[in-house]
Amino acid sequence: MDGGNQSTVSEFVLLGLGHSRNLQVLLFLIFFMLYLVIVSGNILIMTLVITDSHLHSPMYFLLTNLSFVDMLLSSNTTPKMITDFLKENKTISFGGCMSQIFFSHFIAGLEMVLLVVMAYDRYVAICKPLHYSTIMNLQRCIGLVVTAWTVGFVHAMSQIVVIVRLPFCGPREVDSFFCDRPLVIKLACTDSYKLKILMNIDCGVVAITCFILLLISYTYILVTVFQSSKTGASKALSTCTAHATVVVLFFGPCIFIYVWPLNITWLDKFLAVFYSVITPLLNPAIYTLRNKEMKNAIKRLWLRHQSCPSQLKVTEEMLPCPAGPGQHLSLFSAPTWPQRSFFAPSDWTTA
């Protein structure tokens, strides 16, 4: 591999998801609607957490970050894919292609670490409930989120600094709807076999490390809950299943796209669509919209916008209740701090 970028390719051609004109129009309508749902759903979640004082806790702060990252994940490739459905020539500039690769890995690494941070938050809430407010204080939460962003950035840089230096001098057709790193490397005018292995190892280290940390966190959670009460165990199993679903939905496509490629074109395209569109669509529903506190927050938001003053009264059932004596915290139930605002540093317990 030459030391400099001798690329003579100024743009790449994306082959997309199909060639039939009628299919293109149908896919345009479907993905346009899905993208609107993704953006509006995640914006709703962020708005609720920011405006509703009952949701000012570490768990929902992390959920807000997840919603923001999910919007970035979908926005990296989906808008380009949607507009290309209406174009005959689906091209992307060399710089645009490199940007898609960079942000794909940046967001993937960021979300993996963020899922680990969320698992740690649940571990502390369930295994060390009396120390929760001390351990998960504002400074630590911000530090953990910054760490997630840093890991994602470093991982993306480790990929892109190598790819931009590859010589692209001939083939320029990418058999996908976005610049997928393995497919772009395949177009380089050099033997990239060893490079593919090294980059897969790089992705594998991040993905497998995060996956192992997730398994450790939830193993501790399950052991703790099983030792406490059968009722708590049942609730924890239910909520652990929900989180495990999100982990599988996110890590599954990542592993088969970047860590252990299957080299089956139609399957790679399906996994890429699932990763960039379906996962950001399902995460809000799995993590928040099935959460009782989030549903109550939606009701409170709706009541605040009603014209009749009598409807502004919040019923007792809509207020989150902390776990009482003999009750075990649910995986999605953060300890309630009625008099504290998550976004006010002075109200936080410092470690």
Side-chain angles (χ1 to χ4, degrees):
M1 184 173 62
D2 203 328
N5 183 9
Q6 299 179 0
S7 174
T8 59
V9 173
S10 60
E11 63 181 15
F12 294 94
V13 177
L14 303 175
L15 299 184
L17 298 178
H19 302 288
S20 168
R21 186 61 183 172
N22 291 334
L23 177 61
Q24 298 282 303
V25 174
L26 177 62
L27 291 176
F28 168 80
L29 295 174
I30 292 174
F31 284 105
F32 179 72
M33 295 302 297
L34 289 177
Y35 184 65
L36 288 181
V37 173
I38 290 170
V39 173
S40 58
N42 284 293
I43 288 179
L44 173 63
I45 291 169
M46 291 188 289
T47 301
L48 288 173
V49 175
I50 292 173
T51 60
D52 196 316
S53 60
H54 297 96
L55 301 181
H56 289 179
S57 66
M59 182 181 72
Y60 292 106
F61 171 72
L62 297 175
L63 284 174
T64 303
N65 279 271
L66 180 66
S67 293
F68 180 71
V69 173
D70 278 338
M71 279 204 306
L72 293 181
L73 173 63
S74 184
S75 298
N76 182 44
T77 58
T78 306
K80 171 65 176 171
M81 175 181 64
I82 292 172
T83 56
D84 281 349
F85 285 135
L86 303 179
K87 296 180 180 178
E88 288 293 334
N89 298 317
K90 303 174 177 60
T91 60
I92 184 172
S93 67
F94 182 85
C97 184
M98 295 301 108
S99 295
Q100 280 195 340
I101 294 175
F102 173 80
F103 283 107
S104 292
H105 287 270
F106 178 31
I107 296 166
L110 163 59
E111 185 152 345
M112 286 181 186
V113 179
L114 190 57
L115 287 172
V116 174
V117 172
M118 294 173 71
Y120 174 72
D121 171 72
R122 295 299 83 207
Y123 160 75
V124 176
I126 291 176
C127 300
K128 300 182 179 181
L130 298 179
H131 302 284
Y132 181 80
S133 60
T134 301
I135 296 175
M136 296 303 293
N137 56 68
L138 177 60
Q139 291 76 14
R140 179 156 299 171
C141 283
I142 293 176
L144 290 171
V145 171
V146 170
T147 299
W149 282 80
T150 302
V151 171
F153 179 78
V154 172
H155 170 63
M157 288 299 296
S158 70
Q159 299 275 319
I160 199 66
V161 294
V162 177
I163 298 175
V164 295
R165 295 174 62 83
L166 291 174
F168 295 96
C169 53
R172 61 193 188 103
E173 290 187 344
V174 179
D175 194 5
S176 184
F177 61 91
F178 77 108
C179 284
D180 199 0
R181 188 260 292 164
L183 298 179
V184 173
I185 291 179
K186 189 185 297 184
L187 301 178
C189 301
T190 184
D191 184 8
S192 58
Y193 177 75
K194 292 182 179 179
L195 177 61
K196 290 178 183 177
I197 294 177
L198 290 175
M199 300 190 86
N200 286 342
I201 292 175
D202 180 25
C203 291
V205 168
V206 177
I208 294 174
T209 300
C210 290
F211 192 72
I212 290 174
L213 291 175
L214 283 166
L215 288 178
I216 293 174
S217 296
Y218 281 91
T219 298
Y220 272 106
I221 289 172
L222 290 176
V223 170
T224 300
V225 173
F226 273 122
Q227 292 175 346
S228 300
S229 66
K230 292 183 179 180
T231 303
S234 176
K235 291 181 180 179
L237 281 175
S238 174
T239 47
C240 270
T241 300
H243 195 168
T245 302
V246 172
V247 171
V248 171
L249 289 176
F250 183 80
F251 278 83
C254 281
I255 290 173
F256 287 113
I257 291 174
Y258 299 113
V259 182
W260 188 21
L262 297 175
N263 296 321
I264 303 175
T265 302
W266 69 267
L267 184 57
D268 288 341
K269 289 184 179 182
F270 170 78
L271 290 173
V273 170
F274 196 92
Y275 169 73
S276 59
V277 179
I278 306 302
T279 299
L281 180 68
L282 294 179
N283 274 1
I286 295 173
Y287 263 116
T288 57
L289 297 183
R290 66 190 299 272
N291 184 322
K292 184 177 180 180
E293 290 185 359
M294 188 61 68
K295 289 180 179 178
N296 290 337
I298 294 175
K299 293 176 183 177
R300 286 191 290 267
L301 181 65
W302 173 258
L303 291 178
R304 283 200 299 268
H305 287 79
Q306 299 302 302
S307 58
C308 180
S310 62
Q311 291 180 304
L312 295 177
K313 182 179 179 181
V314 179
T315 62
E316 184 177 353
E317 292 81 19
M318 293 172 60
L319 295 175
C321 298
Q327 296 179 326
H328 211 286
L329 287 170
S330 167
L331 191 61
F332 290 111
S333 298
T336 307
W337 302 334
Q339 303 302 323
R340 292 180 181 173
S341 170
F342 180 83
F343 298 96
S346 60
D347 292 336
W348 276 63
T349 303
T350 56

